[in-house]
Amino acid sequence: MFIDLFSPSVQHSLDLVGIFVFAISGALLAVRKNFDVFGMAVLAEVTALGGGVFRDLVIGAVPPAAFTDLGYFLTPLIATVIVFFLHPEVERITAAVGVFDAAGLGLFCVTGTMKAYDHGLGLTFCAVLGMTTAIGGGVLRDLLAHDVPSVLRWDRGLYAVPAIVGATIAALLIQFDALNGGTSALAATVAFLIRLMAMRFGWRAPRAWNRRSTAAEEV
């Protein structure tokens, strides 16, 4: 099984790191929205686990891993406590948090693709589900916070695009029987670097061709 390319302990540790960083972003948004501590915890849990839960439900891996591993559940709560007491300090290192978030994006888009393939999905849908694993929690976070999801907004840097690129590379590696620990890490790194470059240079996806001639700018 492709999901066994890494040892269980390594895979689990990487998952927890990604979950923690995603949870930080959810808790920070809750602070900006003036949510109470319960709202912070909810946004942290949803951001960290939402994509993985959706993936597991689609592929029939039930109960989802988020409901069978106490570490997955507790890690967002730890992130919530940190942000609750130290959010001004955490806000000051937003750039560093963004780097780790990009790393989580790269990791989850690849592992999501591999897990989908292990459960019998075709490669196209494996890549789609890999992308969803990486961005799904952020979409749910924004919806709960009454925001347009960041992945749909032109004024935000590329986020879904790096995820689909990483997931597509992983799917192609599976297609050509070339997926192993090294190449899967390479796919995750490509997604990570694209996200970092988008953050650094403000890369954005194009909008509708010649849209300014037919529609007014909307905020």
Side-chain angles (χ1 to χ4, degrees), residues 7 27 76 80 100 121 138 149 152 154 168:
S7 69
T80 299
F100 285 107
L121 266 67
L152 302 180
W154 176 82
T168 299

Side-chain angles (χ1 to χ4, degrees), residues 16-80:
L16 291 181
V17 170
I19 286 170
F20 179 79
V21 176
F22 283 173
I24 289 285
S25 72
L28 282 174
L29 179 60
V31 171
R32 298 183 191 118
K33 291 287 185 176
N34 203 30
F35 288 7
D36 63 15
V37 66
F38 179 75
M40 292 174 63
V42 169
L43 279 198
E45 292 281 357
V46 166
T47 306
L49 305 176
V53 169
F54 178 80
R55 174 203 63 212
D56 289 350
L57 291 175
V58 169
I59 64 180
V62 293
F67 292 93
T68 60
D69 189 313
L70 189 59
Y72 285 11
F73 177 76
L74 292 180
T75 298
L77 297 183
I78 294 171
T80 299

Side-chain angles (χ1 to χ4, degrees), residues 10 14 19 41 50 53 87 108 134 146 158 163 175 184 198 202 212:
V10 170
L14 292 172
I19 286 170
V53 169
H87 63 86
F108 285 170
H146 290 216
L158 295 179
Q175 172 68 37
S184 62
R212 293 183 182 275

